[in-house]
Amino acid sequence: MTLARREGEVWRVTAPEPAGDPATLLARLGDAAGGGAVAFGADVPLGLPRAYAALHVREADFPSFLRGLAARPEFFAVCASVAEIGAGRPFYPARGLAGMTRTAHAAALGLAGAAELCRACDRATAERPAGAPLFWTLGANQSGKAAIAFWRDLLVPALHAPDPPALWPFEGDLGALLAPGRVAIAETYPAEALRHLGLRFAGSKRRRADRQALAGPLATAIARLAARPDPALAAALADGCGDDPAGEDRIDSILGVLCVLNVLAGHRPDGVPADPWLRRWEGWVLGQTAHPR
């Protein structure tokens, strides 16, 4: 995670660091905010595909659905075969198998086709390629395992706590949710954030040299947001966020916090398109304005 703290008229942005125990993360962020609001951008899916929700879910909205998962831990067990897939166990596959397809995954959930595995904000736009479907858990381009970890280990317990977090956009626009002492959680997407900031990789974010090449443009983007990197962050950017496999995660974390700051600065909207499915079930990516193709 990367933190930005408000100091007078300036945001002080720290270097990426491990998030630590998810069970205590929200409390630690609240303590760090000293009674102020916490805007938490998470690079994980927040929402359900509308076709799945319409067919299988009886709760009123996505936050209600999440709270109900406390009594259904089997929901998070990844299926090893198509035969195990069902409304109560939608995540698939546990490992690579010959002949497995997203079409078969969708059919096992009673959906009309692979496209119905995706939320609107997962689909490609004129500005970026498609993200992965929520329930898919295999390969580099998947977000299912992140959703499992974040929902199971952080969100579901937090929603049953005395001071639960607010979930954007299901409970309102981000600005309205940022009350003193409250944590508001919104979905961010690094590929989307990069474009919001007017940046692009000349190569791949998986390569250290390409991450280093982005250091100057990122520093300029940080300055435009009335923010200042601390010395450790400046050094991390110049270094390309390290030469280990976590370097890609570190750069994504930096892009995530800049996405949130960009919205708080008023450069991007904190609302969603006028579609009730987005507000109740599917969610949206913070700051996104481009509609799916």
Side-chain angles (χ1 to χ4, degrees):
M1 66 179 179
T2 301
L3 298 179
R5 293 181 175 87
R6 190 73 170 174
E7 298 179 357
E9 298 300 315
V10 174
W11 291 98
R12 180 71 63 181
V13 189
T14 68
E17 60 186 19
D21 183 358
T24 63
L25 178 55
L26 297 187
R28 286 184 279 117
L29 291 175
D31 290 343
V38 176
F40 184 166
D43 179 18
V44 295
L46 295 176
L48 292 171
R50 67 183 66 190
Y52 173 88
L55 190 61
H56 298 303
V57 181
R58 297 295 173 259
E59 289 88 352
D61 53 25
F62 179 64
S64 301
F65 170 81
L66 281 178
R67 284 190 287 272
L69 292 181
R72 295 187 284 126
E74 69 279 2
F75 178 85
F76 298 112
V78 179
C79 297
S81 68
V82 172
E84 295 179 356
I85 298 172
R89 285 188 59 192
F91 289 99
Y92 172 80
R95 60 185 182 278
L97 298 170
M100 65 182 185
T101 66
R102 291 180 179 175
T103 299
H105 185 189
L109 288 171
L111 307 182
E116 291 196 345
L117 290 168
C118 295
R119 302 171 300 152
C121 61
D122 297 326
R123 298 192 174 99
T125 73
E127 299 176 355
R128 61 157 171 83
L134 164 65
F135 297 130
W136 190 258
T137 59
L138 186 69
N141 184 30
Q142 59 88 14
S143 57
K145 290 180 180 177
I148 290 171
F150 195 79
W151 295 10
R152 180 192 61 203
D153 301 338
L154 188 151
L155 271 185
V156 173
L159 290 173
H160 286 273
D163 51 350
L167 297 184
W168 177 91
F170 309 100
E171 297 175 86
D173 294 345
L174 187 64
L177 299 178
L178 291 175
R182 194 180 199 188
V183 178
I185 303 178
E187 179 177 347
T188 59
Y189 183 23
E192 185 77 30
L194 198 69
R195 286 156 179 81
H196 295 177
L197 297 166
L199 306 176
R200 63 181 303 167
F201 275 102
S204 169
K205 68 178 179 181
R206 297 182 183 177
R207 288 196 293 266
R208 182 185 187 185
D210 295 338
R211 296 194 298 267
Q212 285 177 306
L214 195 65
L218 265 175
T220 300
I222 291 171
R224 284 201 308 266
L225 294 171
R228 294 178 186 169
D230 69 7
L233 176 56
L237 290 175
D239 183 55
C241 292
D243 60 358
D244 61 316
E248 178 183 358
D249 299 323
R250 296 186 188 103
I251 201 74
D252 280 351
S253 176
I254 295 166
L255 289 169
V257 80
L258 296 183
C259 169
V260 176
L261 294 184
N262 208 25
V263 170
L264 294 180
H267 301 161
R268 306 291 297 190
D270 69 345
V272 298
D275 180 343
W277 279 100
L278 303 181
R279 183 76 74 171
R280 288 183 59 201
W281 286 109
E282 288 200 316
W284 194 245
V285 173
L286 186 64
Q288 180 175 335
T289 55
H291 288 243
R293 289 185 183 277

